[in-house]
Amino acid sequence: EDADCLDDGDGDKHVGNDNAQYGLLRGIKDEKHFKLVINAILGLFSKDRALLEHRGSLVVRKFCVLLDAESVYTLMAEVLSSSCQLSPEEKRFNVVADDDSANGPSADEGKAEEPVVFSLEFVSTMVQTLNLILLTASELHGLRVLLAKAFDRSTTTVDRKVDDLFDTLFKCWCHSPVATFSLCLLARAYEVAFELVQKFSELDVSVGFLMQVDKLVQLLESPVFVHLRLQLLDVEAPHHAPLLKSCYGLLMLLPQSDAFRSLNDRLTTVCNLRDNLGVPPASLTRSSPPTNGAAHERQAVLLSHFDKIMDFHRRARRRDGSLANSKAPRRPVPTAVNGSGGSHYAGEPALRNPMN
């Protein structure tokens, strides 16, 4: 019912009415109602792709402004991730209990709530949409600042909250490889980004995949990634080698295009700077900067999850392909007619030879 606030009487979905916006957000400060509304919004996007395409960005940005970008993105990521991990045993009804007994029984008390299940295609599309908003919307500047601290080596203190935020988004973003790579660049997780770009050779490099890479290269020229372009100048820093290799890996994925030439020109400038400073190229061949055991284990867990999700998508594509082949009409098999020298389709009566 909360999602109906996006639909007027004529069926035209919109979020332009302030009263509707605040009516949608009224009473969802607690976690239970917050999740109900997020589930409703994602369900509406899943059923109406035109709404997602034309108004999805506006809806998400409004939620981030009126509520909290970190909470909205975290909950959306958790819902999308869990929707693809439901086993047949887990597809039971969940009873929603009301913790506030002082106000009497609510409309939701004892109500059976079905688990939210979305298709892999929708989850991938939704991740790409959320990622583009994260990289471009000014309303999410604070969230980008938080993510930039996830792999900050300038401090020895570990912010568990920031780490959990990145890990939650990463595990959901794995449904879109290019979005996952861009998240690592945004969070300055350059070692993870380099490991990811090497795994791209094992993926199905489709036209859509290359279009996403092309779009990411264009976004690298935007103000959001100014920190990355400046860090390319720090040729003697430990992070420079994996960062430069990640960018060159992205370059190798691209066909000859404007995006290829744009990224190639920038990387050529960096290499010229290194040569002018007299930094030996051998420093680029050294191994990744040393990390402590906890950081190394964390990266291994993230990369293992990426492999698992990619395998999940491959198996789903094979299953869908097998189902499509099984439903396709089979062409009749020609069989020879005994003694006629001609042929007819199996299951059909043989044509009589008019000469007999």
Side-chain angles (χ1 to χ4, degrees):
E1 296 178 357
D2 297 306
D4 293 339
C5 295
L6 301 178
D7 192 348
D8 61 16
D10 299 329
D12 181 27
K13 279 75 177 177
H14 66 90
V15 292
N17 189 297
D18 289 340
N19 292 331
Q21 294 171 20
Y22 286 103
L24 176 66
L25 301 175
R26 187 182 304 119
I28 65 172
K29 294 298 182 182
D30 59 284
E31 183 177 353
K32 182 185 70 175
H33 289 91
F34 188 20
K35 187 173 184 179
L36 286 175
V37 172
I38 292 296
N39 286 340
I41 294 299
L42 292 176
L44 186 60
F45 286 157
S46 177
K47 296 176 183 177
D48 192 343
R49 297 302 178 88
L51 176 63
L52 174 60
E53 180 180 356
H54 299 295
R55 297 300 181 95
S57 176
L58 179 60
V59 171
V60 173
R61 284 158 48 205
K62 283 292 184 181
F63 264 83
C64 292
V65 170
L66 298 175
L67 294 173
D68 172 53
E70 180 183 350
S71 301
V72 171
Y73 263 67
T74 299
L75 186 53
M76 281 192 170
E78 290 174 348
V79 171
L80 291 172
S81 295
S82 61
S83 69
C84 297
Q85 297 174 355
L86 288 175
S87 64
E89 292 77 12
E90 292 173 323
K91 292 181 179 179
R92 304 187 183 97
F93 288 98
N94 297 324
V95 178
V96 179
D98 189 3
D99 296 332
D100 190 5
S101 58
N103 297 329
S106 68
D108 294 329
E109 185 172 3
K111 182 181 177 181
E113 180 189 7
E114 292 188 20
V116 181
V117 180
F118 298 121
S119 66
L120 285 177
E121 183 270 335
F122 170 73
V123 173
S124 179
T125 301
M126 195 66 210
V127 166
Q128 294 173 36
T129 301
L130 292 174
N131 184 68
L132 184 60
I133 298 171
L134 176 63
L135 297 180
T136 58
S138 58
E139 295 89 342
L140 276 78
H141 173 74
L143 183 57
R144 291 194 292 267
V145 171
L146 277 178
L147 288 171
K149 301 176 181 178
F151 288 81
D152 188 6
R153 297 191 188 90
S154 62
T155 177
T156 57
T157 60
V158 177
D159 192 337
R160 192 67 250 173
K161 181 181 179 182
V162 175
D163 289 352
D164 291 343
L165 170 63
F166 175 83
D167 293 352
T168 300
L169 296 186
F170 182 94
K171 291 177 180 179
C172 179
W173 263 227
C174 285
H175 290 280
S176 175
V178 179
T180 310
F181 181 81
S182 65
L183 178 67
C184 291
L185 295 183
L186 186 65
R188 311 183 188 190
Y190 301 131
E191 293 86 359
V192 181
F194 178 53
E195 295 292 337
L196 284 176
V197 80
Q198 295 181 91
K199 295 178 181 292
F200 285 174
S201 62
E202 305 170 4
L203 304 180
D204 180 18
V205 182
S206 61
V207 174
F209 178 87
L210 294 177
M211 291 176 63
Q212 294 178 49
V213 175
D214 189 285
K215 181 65 175 179
L216 175 58
V217 171
Q218 297 178 39
L219 289 173
L220 291 180
E221 301 295 324
S222 68
V224 173
F225 285 106
V226 66
H227 71 275
L228 182 146
R229 301 196 297 271
L230 291 177
Q231 286 184 329
L232 282 171
L233 301 177
D234 197 1
V235 294
E236 296 180 323
H239 66 258
H240 187 264
L243 170 57
L244 191 60
K245 290 179 180 180
S246 298
C247 293
Y248 267 109
L250 206 61
L251 185 68
M252 294 300 104
L253 292 172
L254 286 169
Q256 298 287 334
S257 60
D258 291 339
F260 176 91
R261 287 183 284 273
S262 172
L263 182 57
N264 184 61
D265 290 344
R266 187 170 292 280
L267 295 178
T268 300
T269 302
V270 174
C271 292
N272 291 337
L273 172 65
R274 185 197 64 211
D275 295 339
N276 292 334
L277 292 176
V279 178
S283 62
L284 293 178
T285 62
R286 66 190 176 195
S287 59
S288 300
T291 56
N292 58 50
H296 180 74
E297 181 180 357
R298 178 191 179 196
Q299 294 179 18
V301 170
L302 293 175
L303 294 171
S304 175
H305 183 81
F306 178 82
D307 292 336
K308 182 174 68 174
I309 295 297
M310 289 298 98
D311 183 65
F312 188 32
H313 278 261
R314 279 191 291 267
R315 288 187 284 109
R317 284 195 297 269
R318 286 197 299 267
R319 183 180 64 248
D320 293 342
S322 300
L323 291 175
N325 292 334
S326 64
K327 294 180 180 179
R330 295 183 178 181
R331 297 184 59 184
V333 180
T335 59
V337 178
N338 294 333
S340 68
S343 65
H344 70 280
Y345 290 118
E348 295 181 352
L351 297 177
R352 295 181 59 86
N353 191 338
M355 299 302 294
N356 293 337

